Amino acid sequence: MRKKRNPLNVLTKNELTEHDVFEFMKGNFFGTHWLEDSLYIPEDVFQQMELEKIFNTCLKRFSYFGVTTVIPSEWNNVKQVAKKDFPYSFKIISEIDNWVQVCFETKKSFTICGI
């Protein structure tokens, strides 16, 4: 029996069933997508959780269709704004944050690759 994914969960590469996803990759973008250690968020979940609104508010030059680099101070702002103004979205921000904190142990930034 195949396990059904929770629609609010972020995904690993092995869990992907669609291609309209946002990829969160460790460090800066160097031209390669679909990395094994990236996180993936389907576009419908991204919209449902209002991540575009949060990121447009908190990140300099967030690009829905391009590449956005995120540094720790910006990510902290994302968490604060989500907790205060988007409590429904805070669950997925917390899930992403688990990955982000591991990323920041070795990298100075992470990259969001838009769809």
Side-chain angles (χ1 to χ4, degrees), residues 2-3 8 10 14-15 27 48 50 58 64 68 70 74-75 77-78 82-83 97 99 101 104 107:
R2 188 166 186 221
K3 184 180 175 185
L8 301 183
V10 295
N14 293 335
E15 297 169 319
Q48 181 184 358
E50 299 186 283
C58 301
Y64 194 89
T68 306
V70 182
E74 291 173 319
W75 183 248
N77 191 33
V78 166
K83 189 172 188 177
D97 187 52
W99 176 88
Q101 295 312 313
F104 285 156
K107 305 288 183 185

Side-chain angles (χ1 to χ4, degrees), residues 49-64:
M49 295 290 100
E50 299 186 283
L51 295 179
E52 181 179 15
K53 290 180 184 177
I54 295 168
F55 292 166
N56 278 327
T57 299
C58 301
L59 303 176
K60 297 176 185 173
R61 300 177 202 93
F62 173 69
S63 178
Y64 194 89

Side-chain angles (χ1 to χ4, degrees), residues 9-31:
N9 285 347
V10 295
L11 305 172
T12 63
K13 183 178 177 187
N14 293 335
E15 297 169 319
L16 286 178
T17 59
E18 53 197 278
H19 291 289
D20 289 339
V21 295
F22 289 81
E23 180 177 1
F24 288 61
M25 62 178 57
K26 294 177 179 178
N28 294 327
F29 177 67
F30 291 109

Side-chain angles (χ1 to χ4, degrees), residues 70-81:
V70 182
I71 60 174
S73 61
E74 291 173 319
W75 183 248
N76 286 334
N77 191 33
V78 166
K79 291 189 298 184
Q80 290 173 357
V81 167

Side-chain angles (χ1 to χ4, degrees), residues 28-43:
N28 294 327
F29 177 67
F30 291 109
T32 304
H33 290 281
W34 309 110
L35 303 177
E36 293 295 329
D37 63 350
S38 291
L39 284 185
Y40 300 89
I41 300 177
E43 183 182 23

